[in-house]
Every structure is written in structure tokens, then in C-alpha cells.
């Protein structure tokens, strides 16, 4: 009789451990301590897998991630490119060439940005902003 209890206990411990490791607090410990933000869908899906198979571990995974804030994307995470490198994307008439800009961003940041997306909102800068980066207005 002791062998089935040990087997069931071992399976239960293994399933709990596999589900608890699906927590965002394990994958992204640097995200802990956030109060709110945009929910990371990858972490939410991993936690939801626990709900499909094992209700209690899935609820524990969601509770831990929401309590620690590890389920949220990092706030204010930015990427920067030196202004000197961005000068290459500005034409002689002062207009920004989106293709050149996209190429610069892909090589510098390692990510692609859909600059040709019609939903993209472009803001015009002021001469003070250009002077802050050491650039001179060309147009």
C-alpha cells in the first residue's frame, strides 16, 4: 500500500514543480515589484496551461505572478541609437527616409519596426530638440 502513495505523491510533487516553474517570477526575476502595466501574453499563456491541467497550481502561478508583478512587461524599457548614426536617414531636404531609418534601427537594435504602417503617428520635432542632440535643422 505504501508504494502507490509514494508514486502518487511523487507525481503530484513533479506536476506542482513543473507548473510553478512556469511562473513569470522564475523566468523574469527582474520584473518583480511592479504594481501594474501591460500583461505579458507569453507568461499569461504559461500560467493558463496550469489551469488547463491542474487548477490549483495554475491559480498559484497566476497569484504569484500578479502579486510579484512579474506578469507585466517592464515599464519604460527603451532602446537608444546615437544621433550621429540617425543623421544618415535624413535627406538633403530635411525629410526622413523611412527605409534608411528602418535599416539603421534594425542593425543597431536588432529589431524590426514597421515604419511603413499606416497607423504610425509621426511627430515633428522643434529646433530646440535638434539642438539638444547637437543637430542643426537642414530645412
Amino acid at each position: 500500500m505504501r508504494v502507490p502513495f509514494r508514486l502518487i505523491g511523487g507525481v503530484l510533487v513533479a506536476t506542482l514543480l513543473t507548473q510553478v516553474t512556469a511562473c513569470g517570477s522564475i523566468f523574469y526575476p527582474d520584473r518583480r515589484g511592479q504594481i501594474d502595466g501591460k500583461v505579458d501574453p507569453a507568461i499569461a499563456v504559461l500560467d493558463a496551461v496550469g489551469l488547463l491541467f491542474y487548477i490549483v497550481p495554475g491559480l498559484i502561478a497566476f497569484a504569484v505572478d500578479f502579486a510579484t508583478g512579474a506578469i507585466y512587461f517592464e515599464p519604460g524599457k527603451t532602446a537608444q541609437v546615437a544621433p550621429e548614426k540617425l543623421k544618415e536617414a535624413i535627406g538633403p531636404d530635411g525629410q526622413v527616409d523611412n527605409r534608411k531609418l528602418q535599416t539603421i534601427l534594425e542593425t543597431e537594435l536588432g529589431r524590426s519596426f514597421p515604419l511603413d504602417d499606416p497607423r504610425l503617428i509621426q511627430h515633428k520635432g522643434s529646433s530646440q530638440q535638434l539642438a539638444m542632440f547637437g543637430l542643426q535643422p537642414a530645412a
Side-chain angles (χ1 to χ4, degrees):
M1 264 312 193
R2 284 184 64 92
V3 174
F5 287 118
R6 286 188 178 192
L7 181 63
I8 291 172
V11 169
L12 183 63
V13 167
T15 56
L16 285 174
L17 284 176
T18 58
Q19 186 53 40
V20 171
T21 59
C23 289
S25 59
I26 303 292
F27 289 137
Y28 301 105
D30 53 325
R31 291 185 183 178
R32 291 185 202 153
Q34 299 182 88
I35 298 170
D36 62 354
K38 193 172 179 183
V39 174
D40 186 354
I43 299 301
V45 167
L46 288 172
D47 290 345
V49 168
L51 289 174
L52 291 175
F53 297 109
Y54 323 104
I55 299 295
V56 174
L59 290 175
I60 291 172
F62 269 115
V64 167
D65 284 346
F66 277 110
T68 62
I71 198 164
Y72 302 116
F73 280 120
E74 294 178 41
K77 187 172 184 181
T78 60
Q80 297 181 352
V81 178
E84 299 82 29
K85 293 185 181 183
L86 294 175
K87 284 183 184 178
E88 300 170 10
I90 301 173
D93 59 350
Q95 295 293 329
V96 176
D97 184 5
N98 281 346
R99 289 186 181 170
K100 286 183 182 179
L101 180 61
Q102 189 167 9
T103 304
I104 292 169
L105 293 175
E106 285 177 2
T107 56
E108 292 296 317
L109 304 175
R111 297 178 61 191
S112 63
F113 296 96
L115 297 179
D116 55 351
D117 192 336
R119 297 173 292 172
L120 180 67
I121 299 172
Q122 296 183 6
H123 296 281
K124 301 294 181 194
S126 67
S127 57
Q128 289 86 10
Q129 289 173 328
L130 291 173
M132 191 170 68
F133 292 115
L135 301 172
Q136 305 241 341

